[in-house]
Amino acid sequence: METFLIRLLQFILAISLLVLLHEGGHMFFAKLFGVRVEKFFVFFDVGIGKWKGKLFSWKPKKDDTEYGMGWLPLGGYCKISGMIDESFDTDQMKQEPQPWEFRTKPAWQRLLIMIGGVLVNFILALFIYSMVMFVWGDSYFKVSDMSMGMRFNADAKALGFKDHDVMLGTDQGAFREYANVNGDFFRQIAQAKRVDVLRNGKKHSITLPGDLDMLSMIKTRPLFAEPFIPAQVDSVLGDTPAAKAGIKAGDLIKSINGKPVETWTDMNYQTGVLSDVLAVKNTHKDSLAVRSVVLTVQHKGAAKLDTLKLMLTPDLKLGVLQSTLASYYKPVQEEYSFFESFPAGIKHGWNVLRGYVGNFRYLASADGAKSIGGFGAIGSLFPPFWDWYMFWSMTAFLSIMLAFMNILPIPALDGGHVVFLLYEIITRRKPSEKFMVRAEYVGITILILLMIFANLNDILRWLHLM
């Protein structure tokens, strides 16, 4: 429960900040051009009965804008006079146009007002990434430094890869890090026509088609490629099955129930199989039988293997902390001065945006549609503990995501309004108000359906039905 609340708090704080600044971008340009902003709300103030749906609001003296917060945390809005938006205030549109209204301003001013929110989100993301670089620097494990190489699945081996190949680069350049929020490592392989590896101390080149399915590479288990991390125990937790069996830090797990184990991926896969079996067992006796396992272990410094019989915990835990990349490799740490952080942050932000846009095309596939997530999926991206580095990195990523999604040419989104304004600028013909209202209804319907679909995916994943 505590981890859920920590994630929820981070999610609400990040979304509130992004919505506030996004809508602030619209309001900035609106007031710059003398357009009246009637309401500026974080979250929606949907009324229920006589209650107007406001958690609080205030209206400063000599200001036409009412500021406040609604109760429905699905975004926010900036109600601009003389504009057809999600409020569907058509009564206002029937009145005589006023000089302070959106509809009376030149098309180029209206265009800037509409892209103001997206512009702020892009700039905010680049600024946050820059400050992250300045405060924490950039730390990563360089792929070519992983001397134990990679572990590949059957699909990768069919293309010519072999376990323990050290990945050097492709015809597009050298690999940087194994994985980040965009999966650049997999994207580079998917688009490559040649991958260079170090095999037994010699450089080899593997020819690829250049159009591999990156989504499949990431979703398939085991993964297309992942760092080879031996199933070596980092440390043992007290009063656990491992501690009682005499397992110690540095020991290597070689098999479980006769199934060979080389890496922690192997071990986790086998305990996953046991979990599936346990899910269909109805009696306590059957449960105990599944939890009772036989391990072969090579103790640290010993040449022979030791066979151990032990009882896993009810959730099939052994009671050890697994070794990680940090157990074997030293990360590359890059530090930046205040002024150096800006080009580094902008470059990183641009790569994140490019990766996110590149991944967007996979949503048209069946697997891509299943990967769409709602509030639960987004919230789970935050760590189950408070970490300012992760919080700001995720906030910057969500800012880029919000900007890109809002600029899509869907009616009711900023991008939809931009399309209609560009049409007006090019043809010098303004779409009718009747058409704009209908387009807004269509856009709202599309967004609601997408929201339902995304959150339904979250529920199905939570129920282990997807």
Side-chain angles (χ1 to χ4, degrees), residues 352-374:
V352 172
L353 173 62
R354 185 178 61 179
Y356 184 74
V357 174
N359 294 347
F360 202 74
R361 65 188 179 95
Y362 292 106
L363 297 182
S365 67
D367 286 338
K370 291 179 182 178
S371 69
I372 296 174

Side-chain angles (χ1 to χ4, degrees), residues 242-281:
K244 294 174 183 177
I247 295 175
K248 299 183 182 300
D251 290 353
L252 277 170
I253 298 175
K254 306 299 288 187
S255 74
I256 177 171
N257 291 341
K259 305 293 184 182
V261 169
E262 282 192 298
T263 68
W264 281 117
T265 298
D266 296 335
M267 184 65 180
N268 294 334
Y269 176 78
Q270 293 301 330
T271 54
V273 172
L274 294 178
S275 180
D276 292 339
V277 175
L278 188 62
V280 298
K281 297 299 182 181

Side-chain angles (χ1 to χ4, degrees), residues 289-307:
V290 173
R291 290 166 51 198
S292 179
V293 299
V294 177
L295 297 181
T296 53
V297 176
Q298 183 176 8
H299 295 295
K300 186 177 181 180
K304 296 182 179 181
L305 300 182
D306 190 9
T307 301

Side-chain angles (χ1 to χ4, degrees), residues 35 155 218 268 343 378:
V35 177
D155 293 335
I218 295 176
N268 294 334
I378 296 174

Side-chain angles (χ1 to χ4, degrees), residues 107-252:
W108 68 271
Q109 291 185 4
R110 285 180 279 136
L111 181 63
L112 285 174
I113 292 171
M114 291 315 306
I115 67 173
V118 168
L119 185 62
V120 166
N121 280 132
F122 277 130
I123 293 175
L124 175 65
L126 298 179
F127 176 76
I128 292 176
Y129 279 132
S130 297
M131 291 301 95
V132 167
M133 294 291 185
F134 173 62
V135 175
W136 288 283
D138 192 12
S139 180
Y140 60 92
F141 293 97
K142 193 174 180 181
V143 173
S144 59
D145 288 344
M146 298 178 188
S147 56
M148 288 184 289
M150 293 280 172
R151 179 74 178 270
F152 299 93
N153 68 11
D155 293 335
K157 290 177 179 177
L159 292 168
F161 293 100
K162 292 185 178 181
D163 287 341
H164 297 291
D165 280 351
V166 177
M167 306 291 276
L168 301 177
T170 70
D171 50 329
Q172 302 174 31
F175 289 115
R176 185 175 185 269
E177 56 187 313
Y178 167 68
N180 55 30
V181 73
N182 294 305
D184 289 342
F185 173 81
F186 294 101
R187 183 180 302 103
Q188 192 171 342
I189 296 175
Q191 298 173 354
K193 292 188 176 180
R194 188 196 77 245
V195 176
D196 297 324
V197 303
L198 194 64
R199 183 180 298 167
N200 298 323
K202 296 181 180 180
K203 184 177 178 181
H204 288 259
S205 293
I206 299 171
T207 302
L208 297 181
D211 59 352
L212 295 176
D213 185 349
M214 183 185 122
L215 187 63
S216 176
M217 294 167 68
I218 295 176
K219 288 181 68 67
T220 303
R221 292 295 182 272
L223 287 168
F224 183 90
E226 58 186 335
F228 192 98
I229 302 178
Q232 187 171 34
V233 176
D234 179 79
S235 57
V236 180
L237 303 177
D239 195 28
T240 60
K244 294 174 183 177
I247 295 175
K248 299 183 182 300
D251 290 353
L252 277 170

Side-chain angles (χ1 to χ4, degrees), residues 74 372-377 448-461:
L74 299 180
I372 296 174
F375 298 115
I448 290 175
L449 291 175
L450 283 174
M451 190 176 299
I452 292 173
F453 178 78
N455 286 284
L456 180 60
N457 277 354
D458 284 351
I459 294 172
L460 292 176
R461 277 190 286 265

Side-chain angles (χ1 to χ4, degrees), residues 276-289:
D276 292 339
V277 175
L278 188 62
V280 298
K281 297 299 182 181
N282 299 319
T283 68
H284 181 63
K285 182 179 179 180
D286 288 340
S287 174
L288 291 176

